[in-house]
Amino acid sequence: MHLVACCHRKAQRLHRLSGLALLLLLTGCAAKPSLAGPQWYGQSGAGLAYDSPAAASAGQSAVDVDFEVPTPQQAGALHRRGVILPRVTPGTADPRTHRDFIDLRVTAVGFGITAGGYLLYCEGLPLPVLVPEAHVDLGITSAEPLSVSVHSDRDTALEDLAAHPTSTGHKAYAYYRGAGGALIAPTLFSPATTPRTAQAMLEVRQQLAETMQRDLKVLLVSLTGTKVLQGVFSRVVRVNPEPAVHPLPRRQGQGGQTLEPRPPAQNSATHTLPPSPGLVQTLTGNNPTPPMTPGPRLPQDVGVSPKVPQQLPTNRPIGFSPTQNAQLQADIRYLRDIGATNIRVNQQQLKVDNGQRMGTNRPDLQFDYNGRRYHVEYETPTSNRGPGHQSRITSNDPDTEVILLIVP
């Protein structure tokens, strides 16, 4: 009987100790998560918080719950260290309900023209988060997550996506920790993945386009008559299907060849753009871009392999400006019509006849015409990067000719 009572008392003590350990675990996990990223048994990339019934019954306030499911790789690493994680249902651990999910934390959205992406201002972060345009698709309204697991970074999430393609036909995405671990984000920002953020992105782009259009009208009215803005004007206002075409005068190029714009195609709005006046003027022997004295070359250009890389499609973009990309294609059509060769877009600088690679810089457009290499850079009216581009191209190849075009 004494032995039984002793065992019974030991069991009661063990029960009280286990209850105390559980209470300590719940108290620690219920702490407010830091912006440095959640912690799960000392491992980054997973977090856990409870709404404790024991605390509620004791008169304490309720605690928000955040479950975060690690990836199978993270769970396997913890298992090998002897840590067995509790199981939760996918609905309970949906990252979209986590307090660190970016769509719940965003307070304002801006668009960085020079940065090339969206600036997300989020609650609790002192600086905005840059989301490149390549990570955004505002036309996707249906997508499915690969899983509810949260990866440690975007590259790991993309690797997991590539290793597990879906067969449903919907766009797939994965979750990862970004902004130094402070936020949970999807690999793709869209109306299907981050509806609040996507709506703000659409609105800021629309307001930006309206503002730029108003600014351009003011500039055109106040400075009508200058050569540069006449070109800008024609590209801005020619938006109707059948605009009035004012062809450039016929001029004789090198070798007596006639240079003139390609007649616009009546059934395609993209073919109504004439070639850039500065481009046509240059190929007639009167480059409006003043020449520049070559300077010292950059170390990365001096050490570049002379091997000529493979030519890529010429319909690739040169930036985020639809106007510049459309003008580029109009110029390429014109160059093909007059017999230009070795046309490359957004590729590393080459010598005439693709003789060798001259640098790691990527001119917007380059081509050969009448035995000479030409490089074209498309700049905005407020950009000050043109002279730097021209200096580097000229230093790499003093025999080339550089054309700076102003396109909004």
Side-chain angles (χ1 to χ4, degrees), residues 35 99-110 118-131 178-186 189 194 196-197 200-201:
L35 294 179
R99 75 186 72 186
D100 288 344
F101 188 52
I102 193 168
D103 205 41
L104 302 179
R105 295 270 295 274
V106 66
T107 58
V109 175
Y118 296 89
L119 300 173
L120 306 188
Y121 293 82
C122 300
E123 179 183 359
L125 296 184
L127 297 175
V129 178
L130 174 63
V131 178
L183 299 172
I184 297 176
F189 285 78
T194 52
R196 291 180 65 247
T197 306
M201 288 175 171

Side-chain angles (χ1 to χ4, degrees), residues 161-191:
L161 273 176
H164 301 87
T166 62
S167 58
T168 61
H170 295 293
K171 185 71 175 180
Y173 64 96
Y175 297 104
Y176 69 97
R177 278 275 174 184
L183 299 172
I184 297 176
T187 52
L188 177 69
F189 285 78
S190 72

